[in-house]
Amino acid sequence: HYLPCRAKKLRSYATTKMKPEELWPYLTTNPDTFSEYGSEDTLSMEWVEPGVRFRQICRSGDLAKIEEIHTIEVKDPHQRYCFSFEVPDATAAASVSSGSKEIKMIPNGSGTRLESIREFDRVSIRAQLLIWIDDGMGRVDDEIVQSAEAAHSS
């Protein structure tokens, strides 16, 4: 009764009037900055290896919590940020157990164009279809940008 899962690369885009240097801290949150720039769903962050790897615990839905270990791969301030992640408690039936995210910030004259590339080790066919139909990753990027704009303007 389970549909097969396979590795998947998803690309999404968002735009903002914010400059890359203004947007950067909201997209590259780490244990040193999450209390100021982190999402309200981020419950905690702590360094495993300072400046390189950190543990993040986020809320997923009303009750669930997800622990991820992030490893920073590339950090070109105000331009590009890449990290890989793993979910230590993921079971064989989990929808995702590891992957990566690359963020590119491209100045466009009136602000910034954000390009995100997410890679997941396994995504069900059903989830792929739902993400495609409702532009799920694009909506995630739009929410991040809207949140950053609201916080930045206050």
Side-chain angles (χ1 to χ4, degrees):
H1 66 287
Y2 291 103
L3 291 173
C5 293
R6 63 179 187 185
K8 187 70 179 168
K9 180 188 274 192
L10 302 166
R11 194 177 295 263
S12 56
Y13 305 91
T15 57
T16 177
K17 293 188 184 322
M18 293 174 73
K19 297 175 185 167
E21 58 272 16
E22 296 168 331
L23 189 57
W24 178 262
Y26 297 96
L27 300 174
T28 60
T29 309
N30 64 55
D32 297 333
T33 63
F34 97 94
S35 62
E36 186 172 352
Y37 297 105
S39 156
E40 63 186 32
D41 290 330
T42 304
L43 302 175
S44 70
M45 282 187 176
E46 62 185 34
W47 288 111
V48 174
E49 184 180 338
V52 178
R53 289 172 47 105
F54 60 89
R55 175 180 293 107
Q56 172 177 296
I57 299 177
C58 290
R59 182 181 6 260
S60 176
D62 291 335
L63 300 173
K65 293 179 185 175
I66 298 174
E67 176 185 352
E68 293 180 349
I69 304 295
H70 290 219
T71 302
I72 300 168
E73 309 283 348
V74 177
K75 189 175 176 180
D76 293 332
H78 315 141
Q79 295 176 18
R80 187 168 168 248
Y81 182 76
C82 305
F83 66 88
S84 57
F85 71 89
E86 59 185 274
V87 181
D89 295 333
T91 63
S95 58
V96 172
S97 66
S98 66
S100 64
K101 182 176 180 183
E102 176 180 7
I103 301 166
K104 295 178 185 176
M105 287 166 266
I106 302 131
N108 66 7
S110 62
T112 303
R113 181 173 188 257
L114 174 67
E115 177 181 344
S116 299
I117 301 166
R118 295 167 174 91
E119 293 190 54
F120 301 100
D121 63 334
R122 55 187 183 225
V123 180
S124 73
I125 293 170
R126 179 178 181 271
Q128 289 178 49
L129 181 63
L130 292 173
I131 289 167
W132 178 75
I133 287 173
D134 78 350
D135 187 28
M137 296 296 109
R139 285 190 312 106
V140 168
D141 288 348
D142 287 342
E143 289 170 12
I144 292 168
V145 165
Q146 289 169 0
S147 202
E149 288 171 342
H152 184 71
S153 67
S154 59

